[in-house]
Amino acid sequence: MKTNRKSEIWQWVKSIGIAVIVAFILRNYVFAPTIVNGVSMDPTLHTNERLILSKIGKPNRFDIVVFHAPDGRDYIKRVIGFPGETVEIKNDILFINGESYKESYLKEGKKSFAMEYGKGRKFTEDCPKIKVPKGDLFVLGDNRPVSEDSRSIGPISQSKIIGKATLSVWPLKDAGLVSE
């Protein structure tokens, strides 16, 4: 009877140990939770929204990523430009390598901005051509008038990326996949 008890305890210890190791691996190499802090991604993402980040793979253009910013905080922004590309914003239009891009994810924010400030003011101030250095990304927030992004902090090192925002889990009304 005593041997069975020891065997049962040992089985529990092994199971808990394996669960802790699996959780550690998943948390450090597969996914990570994060909380949106600030309004730079409004209306796409909101302050205190809880997200799950994927740490697998490289981000694509217009994916939303979280990275360690130069000031020591973690920022959440949208990937716009890759190494070797030139990024420019002129008359509220994004140009990558001279080609204009329609940013449909800005539609709601531009509409709210125009209602508040009038149609004469630019949602995105002009940004001169910037060539993205090797190993870096050019990132922008969706709430362009207030976002501190590559226009002010410069391109960010790909090594500083924590992960790609893939899933919103809280509040429940916003739960679902994070997409364009």
Side-chain angles (χ1 to χ4, degrees), residues 83-140:
E85 295 181 332
T86 58
V87 177
E88 179 181 21
I89 300 169
K90 225 176 8 181
N91 297 320
D92 234 349
I93 299 170
L94 171 68
F95 293 90
I96 302 170
N97 293 330
E99 182 182 337
S100 66
Y101 279 78
K102 185 175 176 138
E103 297 178 278
S104 58
Y105 47 84
L106 296 180
K107 187 177 180 180
E108 189 180 328
K110 282 183 173 184
K111 184 179 174 184
S112 297
F113 183 81
M115 287 174 57
E116 187 170 340
Y117 296 103
K119 292 188 179 191
R121 188 166 167 209
K122 291 180 187 176
F123 183 70
T124 308
E125 292 299 319
D126 287 355
C127 174
K129 280 185 187 177
I130 294 174
K131 185 169 182 171
V132 183
K134 183 179 180 180
D136 287 357
L137 297 173
F138 190 91
V139 296
L140 294 171

Side-chain angles (χ1 to χ4, degrees), residues 15 38 46 53 63 87 109 111 130 157 168:
S15 296
H46 310 286
L53 307 176
D63 282 349
V87 177
K111 184 179 174 184
I130 294 174
S157 173
S168 175

Side-chain angles (χ1 to χ4, degrees), residues 18-31:
I18 290 170
V20 166
I21 291 169
V22 168
F24 175 81
I25 290 169
L26 290 175
R27 171 66 174 85
N28 286 293
Y29 301 103
V30 179
F31 69 87

Side-chain angles (χ1 to χ4, degrees), residues 18-82:
I18 290 170
V20 166
I21 291 169
V22 168
F24 175 81
I25 290 169
L26 290 175
R27 171 66 174 85
N28 286 293
Y29 301 103
V30 179
F31 69 87
T34 194
I35 299 173
V36 177
N37 184 13
V39 297
S40 73
M41 287 300 292
D42 276 351
T44 308
L45 300 172
H46 310 286
T47 297
N48 294 325
E49 191 167 342
R50 269 65 168 177
L51 306 173
I52 301 295
L53 307 176
S54 171
K55 293 184 169 192
I56 298 173
K58 294 188 180 237
N60 296 311
R61 188 175 325 277
F62 305 126
D63 282 349
I64 297 171
V65 296
V66 175
F67 60 93
H68 299 302
D71 68 4
R73 296 181 294 162
D74 291 343
Y75 284 14
I76 185 163
K77 307 291 178 198
R78 195 175 291 275
V79 175
I80 302 297
F82 292 94

